[in-house]
Amino acid sequence: NPEFHGNPNFASCLLPDHLISMAELDLLTQNVVCAHSETCQFLQENLQVIRWETFSQSEVHGFQQKPMDHMWERCVCHITNAIQQIVEFAKRLNGFMELNPNDQIVLLKAGAMELLLLRMSRAFNCYNNTIFFEGKYAPLDLFQSLGCNDLISAMFDLCHSLCAVNLSEYEMAFYSAMILLDPTQPWLQEKEKVQSLHVKLDVAFRNLLRRTHRESILGKLPQRGRLLSICQVHMEKLKVFRQMYPGMAWERFPPLYRELFVSEQEDP
Ligand SMILES: O=C(C1CCS(=O)(=O)CC1)N1CC[C@](c2ccc(OCc3ccccc3)cc2)(S(=O)(=O)c2ccc(F)cc2)C1
């Protein structure tokens, strides 16, 4: 519509059915950034301050001596706490609570682990290849008793790639929201509602990148398939673990973790 073009109050991207004003873009940006910063267990600056506090060799050895089921139970507990925060992030995103409940679950089941992988990179020290775990920074081999070395090293590699992009909290917030509100997820009942939210996030994110001269990061973000493949390896390792410790998932794993990652069928 010619009367809109050149009018500074309207975003440059005028998709016919998604007319978005600059005021709406600003409100959406505030909403996404606040939802993220209010739901990260650890503030970026706090993680940075302690990032040189690494576990000693004897502490690492102590973790390596723990039985597999013991380490799994601790990690599953930390994942569950982190995912509770991610659920809270979703609930605070404008429009998420207005989606139908089935679609809210579909999006969280599909995206929660991907968002956890993104958040982990905030707790990664790429200079000495250590990651925040239970209060200090841990090297890769601290986790060897989990029996998932390929999974953990894939996570470390992903954290390295994300550190290279050096995402700001603003960028991390938008990247997370757009992964979560993915209209291409199968089984969505109201795909167009998710699509509408995703388009607005895309316009607001590009607007932010343009204003901050950070458009170049779009080509440097890890491919979605990379996040998905790590999530798949997590599911495979969980299946193997459950074969080794039948019944444990039902007795000692938190309900939220079971709901998201343990399919209903009985123990293999
Ligand atoms: O990062 C967080 C928190 C959320 C983001 S934050 O606030 O910035 C910091 C705290 N994490 C919370 C959970 C954590 C986690 C993440 C992924 C994960 O997947 C692999 C897996 C899955 C199941 C069993 C074994 C291995 C396991 C745990 S963790 O335990 O700290 C952990 C970390 C590193 C590692 F190498 C192994 C475990 C990462």
Side-chain angles (χ1 to χ4, degrees), residues 39-44 47 71-72 74-83 86 113 116-123 131-134 138-140 143 146 148 151-152 155-156 230 234 237-238 257:
T39 61
C40 276
Q41 291 149 290
F42 299 86
L43 291 174
Q44 180 83 2
L47 288 165
M71 268 304 269
W72 261 84
R74 284 165 85 133
C75 286
V76 162
C77 171
H78 298 318
I79 291 177
T80 305
N81 294 338
I83 288 182
I86 287 164
M113 193 64 181
L116 176 50
L117 294 172
L118 292 187
R119 288 184 167 206
M120 272 180 71
S121 67
R122 302 165 72 250
I131 196 156
F132 181 77
F133 177 74
E134 298 191 0
L140 181 69
F143 302 97
L146 286 168
C148 308
L151 170 58
I152 305 294
M155 284 162 33
F156 271 58
I230 295 176
H234 163 233
K237 297 296 178 187
L238 174 58
Y257 182 87

Side-chain angles (χ1 to χ4, degrees), residues 79 83 109 112-113 234-235 238 242 256-263:
I79 291 177
I83 288 182
K109 255 174 123 79
M113 193 64 181
H234 163 233
M235 298 302 282
L238 174 58
R242 288 180 59 208
L256 175 61
Y257 182 87
R258 280 207 311 266
E259 168 63 33
L260 289 172
F261 305 116
V262 178
S263 46

Side-chain angles (χ1 to χ4, degrees), residues 10-11 23 28 35 79 84 100 107 137 160 172 174 191 213 233 243 256-257 265:
F10 287 96
L28 178 59
I79 291 177
Q84 272 160 342
N100 86 31
L107 293 176
Y137 276 69
H160 258 294
M172 173 81 74
F174 268 105
K191 188 187 175 83
H213 311 295
V233 173
Q243 282 158 356
L256 175 61
Y257 182 87
Q265 102 247 357

Side-chain angles (χ1 to χ4, degrees), residues 93-123:
L93 286 179
N94 286 349
F96 184 82
M97 292 308 280
E98 283 67 49
L99 297 174
N100 86 31
N102 164 75
D103 288 358
Q104 292 177 24
I105 297 291
V106 162
L107 293 176
L108 278 166
K109 255 174 123 79
M113 193 64 181
E114 289 185 79
L115 266 64
L116 176 50
L117 294 172
L118 292 187
R119 288 184 167 206
M120 272 180 71
S121 67
R122 302 165 72 250

